[in-house]
Amino acid sequence: MKKRRFLLLITAISALGGLLFGYDTGVINGAQFYLSKYFELSDALKGWVVSSALLGCFIGAIVSGKLSIQVGRKNSLIISAILFAISAFGSGLPSIFPETVSVLVTFRIIGGLGIGIASMNAPMYIAEIAPSSIRGKMVTYYQLAIVLGFFSVFLVTYFIGDTLSQEENVQFGWRRMFWSEMIPSLLFLVCLFFVPKSPRWFVLKGRNDEALKVLKMVQDDINAQNDFIEIQNSINEETVSKTKVNYLSKVILTIIIIGTTLSVLQQFTGINAVLYYGADIFEKALGFGQEDVLKQQILLAFINVIFTFVAMFTVDKFGRKPLIYIGCLGMILGFLLLGVSLQQESVGIISLIGILVFIASFSLSMGPVVWVLLSEMFPNNIRSVAMSIAVSAQWAANFAVSQSFPVIVGSDTNNNSFWNGSLPYFIFIFFIILIIVITYKFVPETKGKSLEEVEAVWK
């Protein structure tokens, strides 16, 4: 019991990287509603301000593979925490620098670097330290932290926005929203000094005694010894065949393509279009007043949290693939309710239910399960590189969706008499159907398997 509590503690600390992921990407939702008025942003420029951090995420994910090998998963997370704090402070700076959008974008990109590094290293660290029997549940703590980050930032932005007048929010309220991120950033930084390093990283560096010691901290001696032998054998095989690793070989390239495709399609569900631009959707598409916008966002984030808990307690019981199927069907239903109600010009409670059904279904499936699969499916000898590719591709997809969504929403095609503002949601439905097909044909079930057993599936 003591070892299980310690495992839970270090999982919770490392998952704070996910909380900052959610907080940093979510803070722009509440803030952009006011800073867009402050800077008088066009639709295209608004898309750039919102999505600029994703360029940093992309770069951070690319460098995170090599970084995690050189300095370790733990130290990589420490670097990300420092970047989060710098970004939070700089994004809300008053007129110390010239008051331009470029200054804000620069600090948003710095925060993106932190997200990119954390988004690969946090779930990988958890997967590498958790016993296989509960690894799925442990990795879903990362996704839970992400949605808790969204939920908490929506509460914070609502509180800040509610205590200030509209004019005050436009002038300086959005700055306070960015500054609020410094609190979890510094907490994450301090707590990281109390977690051990990854046992697999220790073995990779030839520090076997330290690796076994860490494994014994979180499970009984027999299982720790067995896991240590599996890790050691896998790393030894990697060392022997290291010069022979060909990333363009059919098997390795196939594994990377499958993982990267699944990672990219997580974004093409439209989740971050809803989360980033929720305020605009509620105000413009659904007809809510400005005073209700942030309240609706809190409801959205609450549903996100609840169904992530459902995923946590079912992912190791039902498996990864069944949750994806169930969630995709729910996401399709949700966007159909929203899309058809927009198309028929009958927006209202059905439209809101559609969004909430979509969010609940995503939180049950593609949100947590993709991170679980990415942390499990890649063999040891390519894990860091493959994870880096898959995660960076995900951020590139996130950027594409976030940049294009407001443009598509404001386009003449979307606003003609046929679509009536519903076009983006039918585009997302197409990609969700594609997820079902690809998962059925190409994605292996990893439930209950050790990382080394999953590796054997591909051989």
Side-chain angles (χ1 to χ4, degrees), residues 276-288:
Y276 294 167
Y277 297 102
D280 284 350
I281 293 172
F282 285 125
E283 183 193 21
K284 296 177 182 177
L286 304 185
F288 291 107

Side-chain angles (χ1 to χ4, degrees), residues 318-331:
F318 296 154
R320 287 53 163 155
K321 294 176 71 171
L323 287 186
I324 289 180
Y325 297 143
I326 294 169
C328 283
L329 292 175
M331 285 188 283

Side-chain angles (χ1 to χ4, degrees), residues 36 52 74 143 152 255 294 315 339 402:
S36 293
S52 58
K74 172 182 173 177
Q143 177 64 22
S152 59
I255 298 170
L294 293 179
V315 68
S402 301

